[in-house]
Structures are given as structure tokens and as C-alpha cells.
Amino acid sequence: MASISMWTFLQAMCLVASLSMALPENYEDEIDVDFGPSYSNELPIGMGEETPTPFPESPALTKWDKLFTMLENSQMKENMLLQYTDDIVKVELQSLRGEMLQFVAQYGGSCASAVESSVRRAGSQTETRLQNALDRVREVSADQYTRHDTALQQLLAASVNQAARLERLENGCLKWGGGQAKSLQARHLMQEVTEIENRGRLEKTLATISSELQTIREQLTLHTRSTFASMLPSGCDTGLLFPTRSSIAHVEVTPKRPFQANAVTICLWVKPTQVLNKTVLFSYSTTGNAYELQLVLNGQSVFFTVNGEAHLVEASGAVQEGQWAHICAVWSSQQGLASLWVNGQQAASSPGVAEGHELRSKGSILLGQEYGRHFRHLSKPDTFDAELAFTGKMTGVNMWDHVLNSKEISQQARLDGSGCGLRGNVVAWGVSDIEPKGGVKLIY
């Protein structure tokens, strides 16, 4: 259907072109106009009036009338052709819409099944973690309830023993007093003593139970915090554990494809164990420049450098020891605009950072270390400066060859969200090849 409509459209266009070439030739033809014999009113001589002048012939006026008629006809034909062309386009669009609907119907099922599988997997993992936490809570609660029941049984036994002792005391008083009035007074006295003792024991028991319940509440709170602390943020399934600072601990990342760009965005989740001076999180090095890109911790601050430490932007108070933080570094060669984003909010921005610079391709990406001046040293290819090594956890490392907007960055920074599903086109977490070395472990 599409090929027939296209052939009809080409025929219509050829007809318009032929008419356009033919019209100028018709306009140049001589137009002969014959008005017939000329008449004039003749008055007899002597009437006292002048003889009127006959009207002149106007062959030019008739020629233009015919020309305008031909132009009107040409305009009508052109409108008809345009209407026909519009109908052809509508038919083509309807055909294209049908093909798109057929494509969606054919391939939409596979996409839906993939999304459903991912959602099912995430839901299964979350359900397993929650079930483990609930089992732990039930174990703690069962233990505490057993202890409370034991304490109440002991209290009941003590009350029975005390009642027996008081009864024996009452009988002794009755025998010793020898009178009904004295026995009645002694009985009332013993009852008051018993009530006071029971009230005191009950208050102590209630205080003990309240203290134990407070302890259970604190344990549950600590357990909940530890459970969430052990989980990876933003829906990430895997992470990296850098256990110690050493000269060999690092992770090599292979990009999805070579890139050479004038802009870049780097995002990652980080949980430092110890915050020291200059701890390398991310570095990109080439044979010509070992400091092409770097994302570095300096105390609680974050530094982002492009083409060396002379071009940097700094965000203060970005990280805390033992807490997850989401960091994004954005740079564009145009005007050299660089910015740092912490937990979805812009923390620092600076223009003129390596303005006009172009990132070189065929470089190497490291996590937790830098090559520095020893880039690809042949004798010790995997030996680095231990003072720059990162310790802690890292996940959700992604890299793009363009600038992300604020909405895209904030969507990744939600601790309880699914930001790990937004993967970069240069480095994609969970897709790109990563190789932990020197004791770095892959955690789940």
C-alpha cells in the first residue's frame, strides 16, 4: 500500500512540473481579438452639433482577460493537486500508525515480561529481608515473654508462702491472746500487713516488667537500624567492600564503549569507613594525562577535578563516616561549568573549569585508587599509594558522556528508591565489567 501511494505521489509531482513548464509558452502566444465592424453615429450636416469621435478598439484588454482566465484555471489545478497530495500524506500516516501499532503489539510483551521479572525479583528480596527481621523480633519477644512468665510464677509462689506464714502467725496470736476481741484485732492487723507487702511486691514487679519492656524496645530499635544499615541503598543488588587501606586494593572498570566527549556526569553511592586526607573514589586516566578525571574525598569534603588538580570544584560537609551518601559530578567543556551534587541537591558549582578541554578516549577507570604518575608502570602494574586508598562500601557507579538534569540526578539519590535502575551509557552499574583486586569484595 505504501509503495502504491508513493508512486501516485511521484506521478502527481511530475504533472505539476510539466504544467509549470507549459504555462509560460501559452502566455507567449499571440492572442487575436476580433471585435467586428466598427460603427459610429452619423448626424446630418447642419444639425449644429459636432460629429462624435468613435470609440477606439481595445485589443489589449481582451488579451489580459484571457490571461487572467488561464491563471485562474492554473490556480484551480494547483489547489486540486495540493488537496490530492494532502490525501496521500494522510493515507501514508495512517499506514505508518498501523505499522507502529503492530510493532508495539509484537514486541511490547517481551518488555513487559522483563519489567515484571525485575519487579518480582526486587519484591522477593525485600520480602526475604523483612521476614528475617520479623523472625528475629519473634525470637527476642518469645525470650522476654518466657522470662516474664517465670518471674510471675515466682511472685505467685512467694505470695502463697507468705500467706501460709501469716496464717500460722495468726493462729499463734489467737492461741496466745485467748480472747475473741484480741483475735479479731490481730486478724485485721495481719490482713493490713499482708496487703502492704503484696502492694510493695506488685510495684517492684511492675517496675521490673517496665524496665524489661524498655530494654526490648531499645533492642528492636537497634536491630532495625542495623538491618537498614546493612542493606544497599536505592535498590542496588550488589556493592563493593573495600575492607582495608592497602597499596593493592582497587577495582578496574571496563567502559561499555570507547568515548571522547566534551561533557561528563559521574554518579555513585559511597559509605566511608574512615574519612582522611585525599581518599580517591573515582579516577579516569589516559596515557597522556593520568589526572583526566578524579572524584576525591578530603575529610568530609568532596573534590572534583578535570584535567589536573588546577581545575576543581569543592563541596564541604558532603560525607559522614558510616553513612551512605550519593555524589554526582557534572562537567561541560562549554564555559567550563562544573558542579557537585550531594544527596540530590546541588552543593557546589564553578565556571571556567577546564574550559574548552576535550576528554581523551582509550583510558582506564579505577575505583578506590588512582594511577597517578605511575600510570601503567610495567614493573608494578597493580601497586599504588596506600595513603590514597578508599575504605568502606561503594555501589551504583554510573557514567554518562553528557550532562544530566536536576530531576535525573535527584531521582538516583533516593535512599529507598530505585535509582540503581538508571544506568549510564559509558559505565553502567550491573552491566559494565568490574574486576575487584587486592582484597576488594563484591557484596550482595
Side-chain angles (χ1 to χ4, degrees), residues 255-277:
K256 293 171 59 178
R257 58 182 178 83
F259 77 101
Q260 187 171 0
N262 297 323
V264 69
T265 300
I266 303 169
C267 292
L268 53 85
W269 282 96
V270 62
K271 182 181 180 181
T273 303
Q274 190 176 17
V275 177
L276 301 173
N277 294 333

Side-chain angles (χ1 to χ4, degrees), residues 88-314:
I88 292 174
V89 172
K90 290 180 179 179
V91 173
E92 291 293 336
L93 290 177
Q94 291 178 356
S95 175
L96 180 59
R97 181 176 180 272
E99 293 177 359
M100 289 298 295
L101 292 175
Q102 182 179 2
F103 177 80
V104 171
Q106 183 176 359
Y107 297 101
S110 59
C111 296
S113 63
V115 172
E116 183 179 359
S117 176
S118 299
V119 173
R120 189 182 299 111
R121 180 184 176 187
S124 176
Q125 293 178 354
T126 303
E127 183 178 359
T128 302
R129 291 172 179 171
L130 289 177
Q131 186 63 38
N132 293 335
L134 288 175
D135 293 341
R136 191 75 182 276
V137 171
R138 290 193 185 99
E139 293 177 1
V140 175
S141 300
D143 184 39
Q144 295 297 329
Y145 290 152
T146 303
R147 292 174 57 188
H148 292 165
D149 185 64
T150 303
L152 291 175
Q153 292 293 337
Q154 293 176 355
L155 178 61
L156 180 60
S159 299
V160 173
N161 293 333
Q162 189 67 25
R165 290 178 61 188
L166 291 175
E167 185 176 0
R168 289 195 299 270
L169 180 61
E170 181 180 358
N171 293 333
C173 291
L174 288 174
K175 291 179 181 180
W176 179 76
Q180 185 176 3
K182 291 182 178 180
S183 63
L184 183 61
Q185 184 178 4
R187 186 179 300 173
H188 287 303
L189 180 60
M190 295 305 297
Q191 289 180 353
E192 291 179 0
V193 171
T194 302
E195 291 178 356
I196 292 174
E197 290 179 351
N198 290 338
R199 189 181 298 113
R201 291 192 182 94
L202 183 60
E203 290 177 354
K204 291 181 180 180
T205 303
L206 292 176
T208 303
I209 294 174
S210 177
S211 177
E212 291 179 352
L213 289 176
Q214 182 66 26
T215 303
I216 293 175
R217 187 180 295 108
E218 292 176 356
Q219 291 177 353
L220 289 176
T221 303
L222 291 176
H223 176 68
T224 304
R225 290 179 179 177
S226 63
T227 301
F228 281 104
S230 62
M231 295 174 58
L232 296 174
S234 196
C236 296
D237 295 330
T238 59
L240 295 169
L241 174 62
F242 297 78
T244 58
R245 297 168 64 90
S246 70
S247 59
I248 59 174
H250 68 285
V251 176
E252 294 183 1
V253 181
T254 302
K256 293 171 59 178
R257 58 182 178 83
F259 77 101
Q260 187 171 0
N262 297 323
V264 69
T265 300
I266 303 169
C267 292
L268 53 85
W269 282 96
V270 62
K271 182 181 180 181
T273 303
Q274 190 176 17
V275 177
L276 301 173
N277 294 333
K278 191 173 183 181
T279 301
V280 180
L281 299 177
F282 179 100
S283 67
Y284 175 68
S285 305
T286 62
T287 54
N289 187 358
Y291 303 98
E292 194 76 44
L293 290 172
Q294 278 198 332
L295 192 59
V296 180
L297 292 182
N298 188 6
Q300 294 183 346
S301 300
V302 179
F303 289 175
F304 176 47
T305 66
V306 182
N307 193 25
E309 296 182 354
H311 310 283
L312 63 84
V313 58
E314 175 185 0

Side-chain angles (χ1 to χ4, degrees), residues 63-78:
K63 178 179 180 179
W64 284 107
D65 288 340
K66 290 184 176 183
L67 184 61
F68 289 147
T69 302
M70 295 176 66
L71 288 174
E72 290 177 356
N73 293 335
S74 175
Q75 184 68 31
M76 291 177 61
K77 292 177 180 180
E78 183 179 357

